[in-house]
Amino acid sequence: MVTKGNAFDPNCPTRTILDRIGDKWTVLVVLSLRSGPLRFTELRDGIGRVAPKVLTQTLRRMERDGLITREVYPEIPPRVVYTLTPMGASLIEPISVITDWAETHVPAITKAQAAYDELA
Amino acid sequence: MVTKGNAFDPNCPTRTILDRIGDKWTVLVVLSLRSGPLRFTELRDGIGRVAPKVLTQTLRRMERDGLITREVYPEIPPRVVYTLTPMGASLIEPISVITDWAETHVPAITKAQAAYDELA
DNA sequence: CCGTATCCACTGGGATACTG
DNA sequence: CAGTATCCCAGTGGATACGG
């Protein structure tokens, strides 16, 4: 374990990753693709209420980051398939750690919130 | 491994946690407090450029979630000390997983971005 | 089918000044 | 010292309509 980078530096790339993980749609895309490639509409329908613009933004950014690949089949009608890259798939693990933590502590958090609000 | 909750539900509490972890200031507060309690100004100075309003918002929310405690000593001048709760401290682990992942993959991501931008 | 093009509304960070 | 009170502003998500 070296110097641990510096998450306090706004320009630290680690910060960018944190933002990605915290991004609602990015996480949902990763989870959606973990069981196999999907098309745009399939992602859209699976994720739920998401504007196409926003989904496209998310997918483009993830593609740029190397988390997913985007394959276009110039058929009619067109077909576009999104697939997790190995790096993208490796995100499932950290995400699981977070969700596990969340599920474990949600009751305590809910309770803490209730207690806090009680004093208001 | 049970039903895994449902991160796709916007009302799922897990989503809230994800947002917290993705929150820039929340993460920095946790990391700042990991070596011991700090006062408001100490946090402020350690974190860097953060508006007092924003820091207060963050701290209040974390207190409400049960991640930190806020102790006020009615002295003159006043003294307020923030401390990680056990639950707050338990966040360090998941955060480390993320930052480790980030540090590991940052080079690949940077490279992917460069390659992507190359085609523009 | 897979997006792009617009437009809107609003959240929420940031800077600054001020108070108990 | 530890915030609160304002004001500002940009970015971003969302809805809708349309194009290749």
Side-chain angles (χ1 to χ4, degrees):
Chain A
M1 194 177 300
V2 208
T3 46
K4 209 74 188 77
N6 181 8
F8 292 85
D9 177 4
N11 296 333
C12 180
T14 300
R15 281 244 43 89
T16 306
I17 311 297
L18 264 295
D19 291 341
R20 295 286 186 282
I21 306 258
D23 181 59
K24 188 176 166 186
W25 306 123
T26 299
V27 172
L28 295 184
V29 167
V30 170
L31 294 180
S32 296
L33 293 180
R34 77 178 183 278
S35 23
L38 291 177
R39 305 174 61 170
F40 186 85
T41 307
E42 292 170 334
L43 274 170
R44 185 178 181 3
D45 295 345
I47 286 179
R49 185 166 298 265
V50 54
K53 188 190 72 172
V54 176
L55 182 56
T56 299
Q57 283 173 349
T58 303
L59 292 171
R60 286 294 192 284
R61 191 172 48 205
M62 292 177 71
E63 186 193 2
R64 189 175 106 96
D65 290 344
L67 299 177
I68 59 175
T69 57
R70 176 177 179 267
E71 287 169 298
V72 182
Y73 299 88
E75 311 165 350
I76 303 225
R79 186 163 58 97
V80 178
V81 174
Y82 294 92
T83 310
L84 276 183
T85 63
M87 180 160 67
S90 75
L91 256 183
I92 295 173
E93 175 65 16
I95 289 176
S96 296
V97 172
I98 303 295
T99 54
D100 286 352
W101 187 95
E103 295 197 14
T104 302
H105 293 88
V106 154
I109 291 175
T110 304
K111 191 181 161 200
Q113 290 175 343
Y116 183 93
D117 294 344
E118 193 67 14
L119 311 175
Chain B
M1 194 178 301
V2 208
T3 45
K4 209 75 190 82
N6 182 6
F8 292 86
D9 177 3
N11 296 332
C12 179
T14 300
R15 281 243 44 88
T16 306
I17 311 297
L18 264 296
D19 291 341
R20 294 287 185 283
I21 305 258
D23 182 61
K24 188 177 166 186
W25 305 122
T26 299
V27 172
L28 295 184
V29 167
V30 170
L31 294 179
S32 296
L33 293 180
R34 76 179 183 278
S35 25
L38 291 177
R39 306 174 61 170
F40 185 86
T41 308
E42 292 170 335
L43 274 170
R44 183 177 179 14
D45 295 345
I47 286 179
R49 187 165 297 263
V50 54
K53 187 190 73 170
V54 176
L55 183 55
T56 298
Q57 284 174 349
T58 303
L59 293 170
R60 286 293 193 284
R61 189 172 50 204
M62 293 178 71
E63 187 194 1
R64 189 175 106 95
D65 290 343
L67 300 176
I68 59 175
T69 58
R70 175 175 178 269
E71 287 168 300
V72 182
Y73 298 89
E75 308 166 352
I76 302 216
R79 188 163 58 97
V80 178
V81 175
Y82 294 93
T83 310
L84 276 184
T85 62
M87 180 161 66
S90 75
L91 255 182
I92 294 173
E93 176 66 16
I95 290 176
S96 296
V97 172
I98 304 295
T99 53
D100 286 352
W101 186 94
E103 294 197 14
T104 302
H105 294 88
V106 154
I109 291 175
T110 304
K111 190 180 163 203
Q113 291 174 343
Y116 183 93
D117 295 343
E118 193 66 17
L119 312 176

